[in-house]
């Protein structure tokens, strides 16, 4: 049995297990699809990762986009 996919939404803020080389560990989800686009909130660099790799890197949600 595989885990269900994370319910990622555009503009979710997530914390990754490893920090970006810039020192930031908070990322904004900017693109959904087969590849997930994430933008580093500290330096603004954008990366694209396959969903499985993206989910492995995410430690927790910092803020959900649909929170009021
Ligand atoms: Zn960065």
């Amino acid at each position: 049995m595989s885990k269900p996919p994370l319910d990622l939404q555009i503009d979710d803020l997530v914390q990754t297990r490893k920090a970006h080389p810039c020192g930031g560990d908070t990322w904004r989800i900017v693109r959904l699809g087969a590849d997930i686009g994430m933008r580093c909130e500290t330096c603004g660099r954008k990366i694209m990762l396959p969903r499985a790799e993206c989910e492995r890197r995410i430690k927790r949600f910092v803020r959900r986009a649909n929170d009021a």
Side-chain angles (χ1 to χ4, degrees), residues 19-27 39-45:
H20 197 221
C22 75
D25 65 357
T26 304
W27 298 76
R39 195 178 66 219
C40 176
E41 285 286 281
T42 306
C43 70
R45 177 91 183 266

Side-chain angles (χ1 to χ4, degrees), residues 21-60:
C22 75
D25 65 357
T26 304
W27 298 76
R28 180 179 299 267
I29 304 300
V30 294
R31 187 179 186 284
L32 297 173
D35 288 340
I36 307 293
M38 303 168 75
R39 195 178 66 219
C40 176
E41 285 286 281
T42 306
C43 70
R45 177 91 183 266
K46 219 155 95 171
I47 62 170
M48 296 285 290
L49 293 171
R51 174 176 271 271
E53 171 66 18
C54 178
E55 293 196 10
R56 268 197 299 277
R57 292 193 186 197
I58 292 174
K59 183 157 82 182
R60 67 182 185 96

